[in-house]
Amino acid sequence: GRVSRPHVRWRRRLGSLAAAAALVACGGGSGEAPQAAGPLVAISVPGYPHAIDVYESEGATRAIVVLHGGGGNKSSVVSQLGLSSNAQASGTDAATWDWLRAQHTMLVVPQGEHVAAQPRAFTWSNYAMRSGQDDKGFLQALAAQIRARYAAVRQLVLVGHSMGGMMTNRMWCESPATFDLHVALSGPASSTFSAPATPCAPGSAARPYMAIVGDSDEILRNGGAWEAETWTLDPSVVSASAGAWLNDVLLG
């Protein structure tokens, strides 16, 4: 379909999701024998429609919340991480829990929503696209619920790809204390943040933030334009889901 095809190209080039997960989950090499798959738990946050998968792991002290890209879903992004062989359904591959146990990590994967005019454009409200939901409030509530539910978790990380990365940037700008670390993969900020009324000003509450963008990205159109103040998205991507877009210009 017109909505998903460009994003598939984008996702394919950014298999570095796994690399980013390793960056925030370093340590704990796996000398252990393979174990059976752990529990995959479905949870929800009161007041929000988002479905959420939690890949629990015994002894986890870190939780990584992963936001999928525009047009993606909670199953596909786990497959892109290399933690599941099934991109169509929430996975229970034993390898998933082997890796999570080795990294003392659990995975929390919410499903983005969409506006009625674009039922295939599952995304996040991040000033570049709109999901029709208060995703900032949702992530704040989700973070609080994870911390309360899993007392052993001492570090809460937000990782986002594409539109999920732009949502990660929004959270760092507007609610920086909600997560302990932030990683945005091919998801720079909407140029909305350059407007006087919407500054990105995390201030003293700022937590570490990492942004990874490929210089051959065909969607961000940044080739030869690294020094430019803004980047413009591929118009075909925007037109495919026009009803869900707010702004196709991003801060370079």
Side-chain angles (χ1 to χ4, degrees):
R2 293 182 63 210
V3 172
S4 60
R5 192 175 299 122
H7 291 80
V8 167
R9 283 206 313 272
W10 200 354
R11 290 194 296 264
R12 201 171 279 148
R13 283 196 308 280
L14 287 168
S16 57
L17 271 166
L23 285 169
V24 298
C26 57
S30 168
E32 305 171 6
Q35 302 180 45
L40 174 60
V41 179
I43 67 171
S44 61
V45 174
Y48 297 93
H50 307 69
I52 307 160
D53 287 340
V54 179
Y55 293 73
E56 293 184 344
S57 176
E58 184 179 354
T61 58
R62 174 190 295 109
I64 303 179
V65 176
V66 181
L67 306 182
H68 62 74
N73 58 57
K74 60 184 174 64
S75 301
S76 64
V77 75
V78 175
S79 175
Q80 291 152 19
L81 278 166
L83 296 177
S84 171
S85 59
N86 189 347
Q88 307 302 319
S90 298
T92 55
D93 294 13
T96 305
W97 280 272
D98 291 342
W99 186 87
L100 291 175
R101 285 193 189 95
Q103 303 300 333
H104 309 292
T105 296
M106 58 186 289
L107 213 59
V108 181
V109 192
Q111 174 65 52
E113 293 295 316
H114 63 84
V115 293
Q118 289 292 337
R120 296 177 62 192
F122 293 100
T123 189
W124 311 95
S125 292
N126 52 22
Y127 303 123
M129 289 188 80
R130 58 194 180 102
S131 68
Q133 300 295 324
D134 173 13
D135 290 317
K136 174 182 170 181
F138 164 67
L139 289 173
Q140 290 171 330
L142 174 61
Q145 183 167 311
I146 293 299
R147 293 186 192 276
R149 178 169 177 150
Y150 301 99
V153 169
R154 299 192 297 270
Q155 186 183 66
L156 192 56
V157 182
L158 183 63
V159 175
H161 169 231
S162 180
M163 285 296 146
M166 295 175 197
M167 187 67 209
T168 298
N169 180 276
R170 181 188 175 192
M171 293 300 292
W172 183 79
C173 286
E174 298 182 355
S175 187
T178 299
F179 295 92
D180 301 309
L181 294 170
H182 307 75
V183 180
L185 301 171
S186 201
S190 165
S191 63
T192 298
F193 279 117
S194 64
T198 54
C200 181
S204 60
R207 301 293 188 268
Y209 176 83
M210 176 186 292
I212 302 173
V213 178
D215 59 5
S216 298
D217 196 308
E218 298 171 10
I219 306 300
L220 290 178
R221 299 291 184 90
N222 57 36
W226 276 106
E227 301 303 319
E229 183 175 346
T230 60
W231 297 333
T232 303
L233 285 158
D234 182 341
S236 66
V237 175
V238 178
S239 63
S241 308
W245 283 87
L246 295 171
N247 182 6
D248 62 346
V249 180
L250 307 176
L251 294 178

